[in-house]
Amino acid sequence: AAAAEAEVRLLLQEAQESIEAARSYRRELQQRLRGLHQAREQIKDSATSTRDVLEQHFSDLKGTLKKLLDERLTSLLQEVDVIEQESIKPLDECQKLIEHGVSTADDLLREGESAVDGDVGQQNEKLCNFTKKALHIQLDSLPEVPSLVDVPCLSAQLDDCLLTILKNQIFRHGTVASRPPVQLEEFVEKPGGILVRWCKVDEDFSAQDYRLQFRKSPGSPFEDVYVGSEPEFLVLHMDPHVDYQFRVCARGDGRQEWSPWSVAQTGRTTLVPHEWTTGLEGYSLSSRRNIALRNDSQSCGVLYSKAPTYFCGQTLTFRQTVGQPDRRDSLGVCAEQRSGDESLQRDQAVCVSTNGAVFVNGKEMTNQLPAVTSGSTVTFDMEVVQFGPCSNEGGNFKLRVTISSNNREVVFDWVLDQCCGSLYFGCSFSYPGWKVLVF
């Protein structure tokens, strides 16, 4: 009986496992069905959108082409009118002169015939007057009439090659692509931002520039956020836990028009933005509190972050505008905030001075970085390399730190007395004019 009961329990267990496997299998199949449905909808929606774009574009082309042809026809007809009027005007003047001569000749003929046929007593006087009048009129002077070869003969020259050119251009105008040449590839969360990466999916496409757009809600229009040659861009000033839609397109080498847009994808960041803490007299902050300016105040000290928002595995970047340097200046990270310090060149902190010196727990390293210059960036990258019992160096938490500046970097291990899941960042400058952006 015990063996039978055990066998039943085993069968029940196997049945439960089979049921759970069937449920999991069904969920996977349903998920794939949803994927197929989304793919089908994407094809249909994009096909409908493409038809609308093509119909609208060619409708606009036809309207524009008709308008241009009408304007050209009007211009040519006006040119015909001008030539016709300018050419006929001298002929009209000549015609008036000839008609006046004909009228004068008719009057002279009547007067001459009357003188010849008149009474003998008055004939002598009439003939004398007629002869004088005939001499005065100059009957041998005739106006010149131009020959047909000397007057304009209007015609229209219409080259049929225009139709051939238009035909060839129209047949090559426009293309339909089944896939955009570039697609979004990766979204990397950053504090208050997202690093967006994209890649080419058409190897035959030679990209000259990329254009990245995003929008906060599906109903709002897309906005340009980046145009350039790099295949990635860090989008800052983004609200945490909010979905943003991104899309990217490219411009071929030597071309003006942009390619079709990639499939829009959603990205979000769960990391709060880096912010400097407010209230320190020696520093003025931007509205987003990610830029700190060392002002003219005589007060000095370390400006810390509002919270320990730097985590291992991330990259912390400082970009600065330079002022007068001092050996006590510092940019770096620390395990805790401490009031009263003038610099991060102290215990439980790593930092870089503006002259390029690197300090670890207050001690200057042999290796140095280039001096900080205006517009340059200083980056900190950290990863945990030891977490456990105390080491020979006295600590039980070790971080591998990489600091980079002006294409140079130093790598070292930073030993802390306690585990730090997150770190503060800070800066200190002795003289005004320094401005630091953190991201």
Side-chain angles (χ1 to χ4, degrees):
E5 185 177 348
E7 184 178 357
V8 170
R9 284 199 301 269
L10 180 60
L11 290 174
L12 284 173
Q13 182 180 353
E14 291 177 351
Q16 289 294 336
E17 291 175 353
S18 298
I19 290 172
E20 187 58 36
R23 286 174 178 168
S24 176
Y25 180 64
R26 183 179 63 182
R27 284 195 299 268
E28 290 292 331
L29 290 177
Q30 289 174 338
Q31 184 174 353
R32 279 163 172 74
L33 282 175
R34 286 193 294 269
L36 286 175
H37 177 72
Q38 292 174 349
R40 184 178 288 105
E41 289 301 314
Q42 177 174 302
I43 294 172
K44 289 183 177 180
D45 292 345
S46 62
T48 300
S49 175
T50 302
R51 290 189 191 98
D52 293 340
V53 169
L54 288 172
E55 289 174 356
Q56 183 62 48
H57 177 74
F58 277 87
S59 177
D60 293 342
L61 277 182
K62 285 190 287 187
T64 303
L65 185 58
K66 183 180 183 304
K67 181 181 178 182
L68 292 174
L69 289 174
D70 289 343
E71 290 176 355
R72 182 57 180 163
L73 174 59
T74 300
S75 175
L76 291 173
L77 291 176
Q78 289 175 349
E79 190 175 342
V80 171
D81 293 341
V82 170
I83 295 175
E84 181 184 22
Q85 292 170 5
E86 292 179 349
S87 301
I88 287 180
K89 184 177 180 180
L91 297 183
D92 289 341
E93 294 174 352
C94 183
Q95 181 177 341
K96 290 179 181 179
L97 184 60
I98 292 174
E99 288 175 348
H100 178 70
V102 171
S103 176
T104 302
D106 287 341
D107 294 341
L108 190 61
L109 280 173
R110 285 192 296 270
E111 187 175 344
E113 290 172 353
S114 174
V116 172
D117 297 337
D119 297 337
V120 176
Q122 299 178 350
Q123 189 175 27
N124 189 25
E125 184 180 355
K126 289 183 176 181
L127 288 172
C128 183
N129 292 333
F130 170 74
T131 302
K132 289 180 181 180
K133 189 174 183 178
L135 291 172
H136 180 71
I137 293 177
Q138 297 180 351
L139 297 175
D140 58 343
S141 177
L142 295 174
E144 185 176 354
V145 177
S147 64
L148 294 179
V149 296
D150 295 329
V151 297
C153 180
L154 278 70
S155 62
Q157 288 77 48
L158 300 173
D159 194 345
D160 290 339
C161 72
L162 175 62
L163 294 176
T164 303
I165 295 173
L166 286 176
K167 180 179 178 180
N168 293 335
Q169 291 294 329
I170 289 172
F171 283 166
R172 290 199 300 267
H173 180 68
T175 57
V176 175
S178 60
R179 291 180 179 83
V182 292
Q183 291 284 12
L184 295 169
E185 182 180 31
E186 185 180 16
F187 297 106
V188 180
E189 290 187 58
K190 297 291 182 178
I194 299 176
L195 177 63
V196 184
R197 292 194 177 105
W198 52 87
C199 63
K200 289 196 308 178
V201 293
D202 183 356
E203 294 300 327
D204 296 330
F205 184 83
S206 178
Q208 173 180 307
D209 292 308
Y210 299 101
R211 181 182 179 188
L212 178 67
Q213 289 188 336
F214 83 116
R215 64 182 179 184
K216 191 171 183 179
S217 58
S220 60
F222 280 96
E223 300 177 14
D224 284 342
V225 68
Y226 172 76
V227 175
S229 59
E230 297 298 324
E232 65 178 32
F233 183 73
L234 177 59
V235 185
L236 295 173
H237 311 316
M238 307 187 74
D239 297 328
H241 307 287
V242 174
D243 288 340
Y244 291 84
Q245 280 194 323
F246 294 87
R247 66 181 186 181
V248 68
C249 66
R251 181 161 49 195
D253 191 16
R255 303 183 70 88
Q256 295 296 321
E257 70 276 8
W258 293 99
S259 73
W261 290 104
S262 68
V263 177
Q265 296 189 40
T266 301
R268 64 157 49 192
T269 180
T270 59
L271 306 176
V272 297
H274 291 319
E275 294 181 7
W276 299 104
T277 191
T278 58
L280 191 62
E281 185 179 347
Y283 294 87
S284 303
L285 305 183
S286 64
S287 59
R288 291 184 177 271
R289 297 182 292 278
N290 61 337
I291 299 176
L293 172 66
R294 179 68 168 91
N295 55 35
D296 295 333
S297 173
Q298 296 300 317
S299 175
C300 61
V302 178
L303 176 67
Y304 291 102
S305 58
K306 180 181 178 181
T309 53
Y310 176 62
F311 297 88
C312 292
Q314 299 178 359
T315 297
L316 179 70
T317 303
F318 299 98
R319 181 176 295 149
Q320 55 280 318
T321 301
V322 300
Q324 182 180 344
D326 187 273
R327 63 180 182 81
R328 295 168 298 173
D329 295 340
S330 59
L331 286 168
V333 296
C334 55
E336 59 185 8
Q337 293 181 336
R338 285 198 332 208
S339 60
D341 293 323
E342 292 187 356
S343 174
L344 284 176
Q345 299 171 16
R346 61 167 176 81
D347 188 38
Q348 300 294 294
V350 294
C351 66
V352 179
S353 178
T354 52
N355 63 5
V358 179
F359 292 85
V360 184
N361 288 334
K363 297 180 181 180
E364 184 175 355
M365 294 183 60
T366 304
N367 294 335
Q368 271 196 304
L369 292 168
V372 174
T373 58
S374 188
S376 66
T377 59
V378 178
T379 62
F380 288 76
D381 291 275
M382 300 188 186
E383 60 178 330
V384 178
V385 293
Q386 180 178 320
F387 179 69
C390 291
S391 66
N392 295 331
E393 294 154 312
N396 62 350
F397 190 67
K398 183 186 293 186
L399 298 177
R400 179 73 41 80
V401 182
T402 302
I403 307 178
S404 303
S405 177
N406 291 327
N407 298 320
R408 292 268 303 278
E409 68 178 29
V410 293
V411 182
F412 56 90
D413 288 342
W414 178 27
V415 179
L416 295 170
D417 293 335
Q418 58 184 352
C419 174
C420 293
S422 57
L423 299 167
Y424 291 90
F425 56 85
C427 69
S428 64
F429 300 101
S430 299
Y431 298 101
W434 289 90
K435 184 167 67 173
V436 182
L437 165 68
V438 60
F439 59 93

